[in-house]
Amino acid sequence: MTSEHPVLHLDRIGAVVFDTDSVIADTARVHAGAWKRSIDEFLRQYSRQIGHTLAPFDVRADYLRFLDGRPGADGVRDFLSSRDVSLGDAPLPNGLSNRLSHGDPGGLPSRDGDSVAAIVDRKTRYFLEEIDRYGVAAFPSTVRLVRDLRERGARTAAVSVTQHCFRMLAAAQVQRLFDVRVEGAEEDTDGNGPRRDPRDARDGAGGAERLGGAEVLDGLSSPASPTGCPAPSLFVEAVRRLGLPPSQAAVVEDTPAGVEAGRSGGFAVVVAVDRTDRAEELRAHGAHIVVRDLTDIVVAGRRRDPLVFGW
């Protein structure tokens, strides 16, 4: 490796927090495919009701524009607006909502009267069915970086804004590589607070449990900032559980919103993985380092004692 490669110095960084979706696990394709199935099903039914055909969901362009790194309900509303459909919270036509949101094997409640929520729930169901049936690949470069960090004494955490962090890590068979796993709520589209998957049984104080030596926390809400960026609460909670302040930790993200959350959380280093040709946008949102792949990151030094002061 040459000096041109960005370096994580473990004399200053004691922990690294990784986003699960598309940083640890190669889930973007699965998410995009699930969104296409759910949205196109709605568009076909809706087109029949209005008497003309609406353009289908583009699995790349529409996914990146409307849904990648954004709360699903917001993305669906914006996508539908691009097709001149304004549903809000109105029921779907001719009972379509009942067909879209009939029970959820992932444990999510159905909400038959809310069209946007029905589309989101349907997408979630498709996504979970896919990873449960076929698994999902972990990025080899991420696995190598995590192992290098751990061998050098750094702590690692995996975070997901959804409530399926452990499920995705298990599907990728990498759950034991992370000291802490923190997951949030899916989207609080019904105003009833975070939704939880009942198959993730919690016990112990504060609703935490031990799974494979890592701590899984109760779902944390991740409200949007005024700019539409997720709040950094999940990242901050992860390093708190690791015993370090954000100023002594790094975040690895792949979306502009995630990068902005890392910066607003006060993390010492925010690394952006640019797999969708958005390097300038990621830098504009505050990424300290932008790489095409995590093989470009060099880890220097070895972590021994944490440098915590007043945390």
Side-chain angles (χ1 to χ4, degrees):
M1 297 268 180
T2 72
S3 59
E4 296 177 356
H5 289 268
V7 180
L8 287 180
H9 295 277
L10 296 189
D11 59 342
R12 299 193 294 271
I13 299 296
V16 181
V17 182
F18 294 82
D19 186 18
T20 302
D21 273 303
S22 299
V23 172
I24 300 170
D26 189 4
T27 53
R29 174 191 57 82
V30 187
H31 279 298
W35 279 120
K36 180 170 177 60
R37 289 180 66 188
S38 178
I39 291 173
D40 281 359
E41 180 173 343
F42 166 76
L43 291 175
R44 286 192 296 271
Q45 295 286 343
Y46 195 80
S47 292
R48 283 195 283 271
Q49 297 298 316
I50 63 176
H52 66 87
T53 300
L54 297 173
F57 182 85
D58 187 290
V59 75
R60 177 172 175 80
D62 288 331
Y63 176 70
L64 291 177
R65 178 182 176 188
F66 297 108
L67 289 156
D68 186 28
R70 297 187 62 200
D74 293 344
V76 168
R77 290 189 184 98
D78 287 349
F79 168 79
L80 292 177
S81 293
S82 77
R83 299 297 193 268
D84 295 322
V85 177
S86 180
L87 291 178
D89 294 332
L92 295 168
N94 284 358
L96 177 58
S97 64
N98 290 327
R99 295 193 291 278
L100 282 175
S101 56
H102 59 85
D104 188 344
L108 302 178
S110 63
R111 285 162 291 174
D112 295 343
D114 187 343
S115 61
V116 170
I119 293 170
V120 172
D121 284 351
R122 183 70 169 182
K123 176 267 174 180
T124 300
R125 184 158 53 249
Y126 282 140
F127 175 78
L128 295 177
E129 287 173 353
E130 179 79 6
I131 66 169
D132 287 348
R133 181 176 301 174
Y134 300 109
V136 66
F139 287 103
S141 57
T142 303
V143 173
R144 285 194 293 270
L145 177 59
V146 171
R147 286 177 173 160
D148 191 14
L149 288 165
R150 293 172 67 82
E151 288 171 0
R152 293 168 178 268
R155 304 166 192 178
T156 56
V159 163
S160 175
V161 71
T162 75
Q163 61 180 38
H164 308 301
C165 180
F166 178 76
R167 202 159 168 177
M168 288 185 284
L169 295 175
Q173 301 181 14
V174 293
Q175 66 270 36
R176 295 182 183 275
L177 290 179
F178 300 93
D179 301 297
V180 168
R181 299 181 291 267
V182 183
E183 58 187 26
E186 185 69 7
E187 281 85 35
D188 184 15
T189 51
D190 57 0
N192 293 325
R195 296 180 283 169
R196 296 180 175 85
D197 187 337
R199 294 190 291 184
D200 284 343
R202 286 2 189 237
D203 58 21
E209 67 167 341
R210 287 279 172 181
L211 288 172
E215 195 165 23
V216 183
L217 305 178
D218 271 335
L220 299 174
S221 61
S222 185
S225 73
T227 65
C229 172
S233 57
L234 294 175
F235 297 143
V236 174
E237 177 65 12
V239 291
R240 189 185 73 81
R241 292 282 170 166
L242 291 172
L244 289 171
S247 61
Q248 294 173 28
V251 164
V252 185
E253 258 287 354
D254 73 313
T255 67
V259 165
E260 190 174 333
R263 283 300 296 260
S264 64
F267 282 80
V269 178
V270 178
V271 178
V273 185
D274 176 29
R275 295 193 173 100
T276 55
D277 298 319
R278 295 190 289 183
E280 291 308 313
E281 184 180 6
L282 292 165
R283 290 190 183 95
H285 280 261
H288 298 104
I289 297 170
V290 179
V291 293
R292 292 289 294 185
D293 189 81
L294 289 178
T295 54
D296 294 333
I297 297 290
V298 176
V299 181
R302 182 169 297 276
R303 193 71 180 184
R304 292 181 176 84
D305 298 319
L307 302 174
V308 179
F309 303 100
W311 175 249

